[in-house]
Amino acid sequence: MSWDYLIVGAGSAGCVLADRLSADGESTVLLLEAGGPDTAPDIHVPARFTDLFHTEIDWAYETLPQPGLNGRREYVPRGKVYGGTSSINAMVYARGHPSDYDRWAEAGNAGWRYEELLPLFRDMQCQGRGASEHHGVDGPLHVSDPRDPNPLSLAFVEAAGQIGQPLRDDFNAGVQEGFGVYQTTTRDGRRWSAADAFLRPALARANLEASPWSLVTELLFEGRRCVGLRFERDGETREAFARREVILCGGAINSPQLLLLSGIGPPEQLKACGIPLRHALPGVGRNLMDHVQVPVAWHCREPVSLVAKEDPEQLELYQRERRGLLSSNLGEAGGFVRLDPASPAPELQYHFGPGWFIRHGFGDPPGHGFTALTGLVATQSIGALKLDPECPQGPPLIDLACLTDERDLQVLLAGVRLARKIVAAPAFDRYRGEEFLPGEEVEDDAGLRLFLRDFATTIYHPVGSCKMSQDVLAVVDERLRVRGLQGLRVADASIMPRIINANTNAPCMMIGAKAAAMIRQEGGGP
């Protein structure tokens, strides 16, 4: 069978594209997702997102051993479900600093300046605070303030102010530096994913079809034009064809993997995997980046942390009012800090958790505690993704090169010291117990460096592996068309030339909206 558009991946960008491309009621769209519908109850309870890790709705990737992390393999969660990673993330709504996008445009990607993208962010948003220059209220993506912020989160913001840090009530209004409470993609105390906002309403249209449990294994071509794809469903191999375009929205891991499996990428790598070369693009899988964070954590003297989120009274409160500990996104408060006055954007981002979050929550100690997750967001370390020559169809070989650049270590060292200074402020006097990590005895740079390499993790923001640029590593052009081919685009986090300095979910939805607008502008034809 054939459709006008085939979309691979029902994640943040894919859901937006499915909605926008089917909105005319005439263009036929098939959306293929390797996972299934977002029916698991825990998806919709904000504080239970870590319970979704290593389940059937998580690809649960791992990196290669990371020299910068003392040889540890690092966990890379990715959503395998309607909504993609927007169904298993911490729901923080952040767009990144305007200069991030301006630098994309200055590198030759016309149309990607922040002022050109702001209307896309506004149009998709239903801002709980009302409309403004920076926010919209007519879109389907609900963005709201926490319904029941934890006292520890409020103490973190107050403490930051007490040591002279600026306070910020909106990180998405042009000026980013400062500390405050994050807004989240939630509605009435429940997660509001890309599937909730864009896909579910669009599925009511007869011209949009979603195919769950459909793993796309290869792109199909006639000459240099992509005309369809091959996928596995219900134990059968099937094919689908596109009259207009195929759009990859698999994210920074799965989109380059599919290109490589289809013979598009570095010739030497494809040869090593026994895959016939269709089109040489040396940048496929290169330019892979992520943010890195480290947990600076304390025991808590009062029983107010998220350790108690599964107590029966908390479940009853959540079911009755959608409030209490289960309404928490686990990273309620935070802030952005510019260390170098010459830097175009803050290099540090904090996610304050009113509970433990050690090694993705798998290394938490007993008792009550809180964690100032200190995040490097001006990433300089750059890695790559490759197919495994021994099993090309299996999980790819992911190397995020975490903390291999000395500049990244310096940012995190400064961040740990600042986190300690914030928690030493009077606002925490009633809560602050013994420091758990790094531990009060760890003071010098040598000890802190060892701590960073032992406990740093990613922030689940992989990007860049199908770079939008004009240079030798370019995979897509400024209109997201795969270079040298026809009928094929990539629209997801993989196209970012450089990682933005904040959470990547809202930008991925914007990329989906931008791609849809460009396709519509071009008439959707060959």
Side-chain angles (χ1 to χ4, degrees), residues 21-28 205-207 520:
L21 293 182
S22 65
D24 63 5
E26 298 178 358
S27 299
T28 57
R205 301 176 188 139
N207 58 318
R520 286 299 188 201

Side-chain angles (χ1 to χ4, degrees), residues 46 129 144-158 180-184 186 189 304-306 314 317 321-334 352-355 431:
R129 298 178 182 176
S144 62
D145 295 312
R147 290 168 64 88
D148 199 1
N150 191 282
L152 291 167
S153 301
L154 300 179
F156 182 74
V157 177
E158 181 183 0
V181 176
Y182 286 122
Q183 288 200 297
T184 57
T186 52
V304 295
S305 80
L306 295 180
Q314 288 297 325
L317 176 60
E321 302 180 21
R322 295 288 186 261
R323 296 183 182 276
L325 299 181
L326 285 170
S327 70
S328 172
N329 73 315
L330 278 63
E332 297 178 358
F352 179 81
Y431 304 115

Side-chain angles (χ1 to χ4, degrees), residues 361-379:
F362 304 134
D364 296 345
H368 286 271
F370 55 88
T371 311
L373 289 161
T374 303
L376 157 76
V377 290
T379 305

Side-chain angles (χ1 to χ4, degrees), residues 5-8 17 21 112 219 221 226 244-250 255 258-259 466 475-483 485-492 494-495 511 514-526:
Y5 303 104
L6 302 178
I7 301 171
V8 182
L17 268 161
L21 293 182
W112 289 86
L219 300 173
F221 288 83
C226 185
R244 294 180 178 175
E245 294 195 21
V246 176
I247 307 140
L248 307 189
C249 301
S255 284
L258 181 56
L259 289 174
C466 294
V475 176
V476 299
D477 64 13
E478 71 278 6
R479 302 190 71 82
L480 307 186
R481 299 170 296 202
V482 175
R483 290 188 174 274
L485 297 173
Q486 297 175 336
L488 181 62
R489 296 191 207 228
V490 181
D492 55 34
S494 70
I495 65 94
I511 289 168
K514 175 77 168 174
M518 291 188 293
I519 292 169
R520 286 299 188 201
Q521 184 184 52
E522 295 166 14

Side-chain angles (χ1 to χ4, degrees), residues 159-347:
Q162 288 173 341
I163 68 165
Q165 292 292 324
L167 300 185
R168 187 77 49 206
D169 66 355
D170 188 350
F171 296 112
N172 300 299
V175 179
Q176 193 186 40
E177 291 173 74
F179 286 76
V181 176
Y182 286 122
Q183 288 200 297
T184 57
T185 49
T186 52
R187 182 182 186 184
D188 299 330
R190 300 178 80 248
R191 175 190 298 276
W192 197 251
S193 69
D196 292 309
F198 302 99
L199 179 57
R200 194 159 293 111
L203 284 174
R205 301 176 188 139
N207 58 318
L208 171 62
E209 179 181 346
S211 180
W213 315 115
S214 298
L215 177 64
V216 179
T217 57
E218 186 180 0
L219 300 173
L220 304 176
F221 288 83
E222 290 180 359
R224 305 191 75 79
R225 181 171 185 80
C226 185
V227 296
L229 50 80
R230 187 169 289 125
F231 65 102
E232 303 289 338
R233 182 177 179 182
D234 299 330
E236 297 180 2
T237 299
R238 309 184 186 192
E239 293 182 345
F241 295 91
R243 289 186 288 269
R244 294 180 178 175
E245 294 195 21
V246 176
I247 307 140
L248 307 189
C249 301
I253 308 301
N254 295 83
S255 284
Q257 179 188 33
L258 181 56
L259 289 174
L260 292 167
L261 288 172
S262 304
I264 303 165
E268 68 283 359
Q269 184 187 150
L270 297 173
K271 182 178 180 181
C273 294
I275 297 173
L277 176 66
R278 174 167 294 281
H279 180 55
L281 272 182
V284 175
R286 302 278 297 278
N287 194 53
L288 181 63
M289 292 169 275
D290 203 338
H291 297 143
V292 172
Q293 64 188 1
V294 66
V296 187
W298 289 260
H299 292 275
C300 185
R301 296 166 58 192
E302 294 193 11
V304 295
S305 80
L306 295 180
V307 168
K309 67 185 174 71
E310 297 299 340
D311 289 354
E313 59 269 24
Q314 288 297 325
L315 178 59
E316 180 182 348
L317 176 60
Y318 183 76
Q319 291 175 335
R320 185 178 67 248
E321 302 180 21
R322 295 288 186 261
R323 296 183 182 276
L325 299 181
L326 285 170
S327 70
S328 172
N329 73 315
L330 278 63
E332 297 178 358
F336 294 86
V337 178
R338 191 189 309 259
L339 299 173
D340 181 356
S343 175
E347 305 100 318

